[in-house]
Amino acid sequence: MRTMKLGASTLKVPVVAVGCMRMNSLEKKEAENFIQTALEEGANFFDHADIYGDGLSEEIFADAIHMNADIREKIILQSKCGIRKGMFDFSKEHILHSVDGILKRLNTEYLDTLLLHRPDALMEPEEVAEAFDILESAGKVRHFGVSNQNPLQIQLLQKFVKQPIVANQLQLSITNANMISNGMNVNMENDSAINRDGSVLDFCRLNDITIQPWSPFQYGFFEGVFLGNEKFPELNQKIDEIAAKYEVSNTTIAIAWLLRHPAKMQPVIGTMNVDRLKECSKASEIYLTREEWYEIYRAAGNILP
Ligand SMILES: NC(=O)c1ccc[n+]([C@@H]2O[C@H](COP(=O)([O-])OP(=O)(O)OC[C@H]3O[C@@H](n4cnc5c(N)ncnc54)[C@H](OP(=O)(O)O)[C@@H]3O)[C@@H](O)[C@H]2O)c1
């Protein structure tokens, strides 16, 4: 697996991250097999959140990897906090409490990265800054980031938080590509010109913040997988054609499309299937041509002005 630097940090990470949101669906043996395969593929970056499976995903992970000091040094662990039942919560108290729970469930003394999961309307940035300082000086968290935040929200946070924001996890796939199409439709009278994210893609590039696309295979908001889906005939035909050319699967091409973007994104894949995991990993060896990238973009119904 190819590696890259995460944001402005010196942390070397694989270009594909393994998302553990669905790990609570696995039996222990299945989880062991899945994690072992990930490690063999060089996919040693694992994305968690305190809410995945209500904490169960983190517990299953730690158990299945047989966490100990030796293993801990070989992997990169990211988790997220800030979502509570019926609300978002970036209070100092909640962040500190949440991280302690995460560390306990993951059976580790530190996180490589902690992300704030979804913007909290009641956030007091000074409180977040205090929480980050405490976590950093206690050695509990080494790097900090956000998720689902726009440029102004990040700037507001960064005004108070002294640690650099190294990652922003955002929904992005071939079929949810407004972040990309928006930049090519500036000032046009079409829907793609609607700026829903404050130009977060350019902002992240300008500020060395790695974008981590979540749900790289889903269309809509968890509506289903677009690959092999009859709702997307033109897209699947194009992806299959390019997959045949490279002698890889459609899964590989969907991830290669994200990796081809010069923003150097780190897609977070959610599969719990070992074959699909290997196919995602293979994407780091494929470099689509400009023509192929745009053909896939257009086949999904994304427009060029
Ligand atoms: N920050 C946020 O707000 C946020 C939100 C959502 C998710 N995330 C992170 O992003 C990760 C990925 O999210 P996700 O799981 O929604 O992403 P995804 O990778 O787009 O979707 C994974 C799901 O799609 C299925 N799938 C993938 N390819 C398939 C195919 N070709 N045919 C049939 N089924 C296929 C997988 O089933 P199999 O297991 O059978 O392959 C799995 O159920 C999560 O684990 C989490 O870490 C973050």
Side-chain angles (χ1 to χ4, degrees):
M1 171 87 71
R2 229 165 9 93
T3 57
M4 62 179 211
K5 245 168 24 85
L6 188 72
S9 79
T10 52
L11 199 59
K12 209 172 101 182
V13 299
V15 294
V16 175
V18 177
C20 298
M21 181 176 75
R22 301 171 192 266
M23 195 161 275
N24 60 327
S25 66
L26 301 187
E27 297 298 331
K28 184 172 175 186
K29 276 268 165 262
E30 293 172 320
E32 283 175 342
N33 186 28
F34 178 80
I35 292 168
Q36 190 51 41
T37 307
L39 297 178
E40 284 162 13
E41 292 292 320
N44 66 341
F45 185 109
F46 298 95
D47 178 67
H48 291 270
D50 53 2
I51 55 162
Y52 293 164
D54 225 359
L56 191 58
S57 292
E58 290 175 330
E59 281 176 5
I60 290 175
F61 175 85
D63 195 26
I65 202 167
H66 306 284
M67 190 73 85
N68 60 38
D70 190 35
I71 284 165
R72 182 64 189 89
E73 290 311 304
K74 296 187 170 78
I75 60 174
I76 303 156
L77 283 181
Q78 171 169 284
S79 194
K80 306 186 275 303
C81 70
I83 298 184
R84 288 174 55 195
K85 203 170 185 328
M87 68 180 77
F88 303 125
D89 190 348
F90 287 1
S91 65
K92 174 182 159 190
E93 190 190 20
H94 178 71
I95 294 171
L96 295 178
H97 178 71
S98 170
V99 170
D100 282 343
I102 290 168
L103 296 179
K104 191 155 179 258
R105 288 189 296 275
L106 286 174
N107 192 14
T108 181
E109 284 173 6
Y110 69 95
L111 286 178
D112 293 283
T113 38
L114 173 74
L115 308 188
L116 298 174
H117 208 156
R118 267 207 180 270
D120 169 19
L122 302 184
M123 173 184 81
E124 307 279 0
E126 296 90 336
E127 274 196 50
V128 177
E130 272 185 61
F132 282 10
D133 283 348
I134 291 169
L135 291 170
E136 187 181 48
S137 60
K140 292 180 179 179
V141 177
R142 295 187 175 174
H143 304 281
F144 297 87
V146 296
S147 177
N148 306 306
Q149 292 211 7
N150 71 27
L152 287 178
Q153 289 168 325
I154 297 173
Q155 278 181 329
L156 173 63
L157 197 58
Q158 200 72 85
K159 181 175 173 189
F160 296 89
V161 165
K162 69 169 189 275
Q163 298 81 4
I165 298 299
V166 297
N168 188 8
Q169 202 170 104
L170 296 151
Q171 184 175 14
L172 176 62
S173 70
I174 300 167
T175 52
N176 286 56
N178 183 263
M179 193 193 298
I180 292 171
S181 53
N182 185 238
M184 287 190 281
N185 286 276
V186 173
N187 198 35
M188 301 303 293
E189 289 189 4
N190 60 45
D191 279 359
S192 293
I194 299 169
N195 189 331
R196 295 187 170 88
D197 56 41
S199 302
V200 73
L201 174 56
D202 297 318
F203 177 83
C204 288
R205 290 181 77 178
L206 276 166
N207 290 280
D208 286 333
I209 297 171
T210 296
I211 291 180
Q212 298 179 329
W214 56 262
S215 287
F217 298 109
Q218 307 283 319
Y219 64 93
F221 186 61
F222 301 115
E223 282 180 54
V225 175
F226 60 78
L227 290 176
N229 188 323
E230 59 188 19
K231 285 189 174 151
F232 303 91
E234 205 186 321
L235 174 61
N236 278 292
Q237 197 186 357
K238 180 50 71 184
I239 289 179
D240 290 349
E241 177 193 313
I242 294 171
K245 176 185 154 193
Y246 286 96
E247 298 181 346
V248 296
S249 73
N250 55 1
T251 299
T252 304
I253 296 300
I255 297 298
W257 188 83
L258 291 168
L259 293 179
R260 176 62 172 81
H261 194 281
K264 296 187 175 50
M265 302 181 202
Q266 185 192 32
V268 188
I269 57 167
T271 185
M272 290 291 121
N273 172 301
V274 288
D275 293 329
R276 268 200 270 280
L277 171 66
K278 288 182 196 165
E279 289 165 14
C280 291
S281 159
K282 181 103 185 141
S284 94
E285 297 163 21
I286 306 288
Y287 189 77
L288 297 178
T289 65
R290 176 178 293 270
E291 286 74 13
E292 289 160 350
W293 189 90
Y294 272 100
E295 283 168 13
I296 292 172
Y297 170 85
R298 283 187 282 113
N302 297 306
I303 58 165
L304 294 176

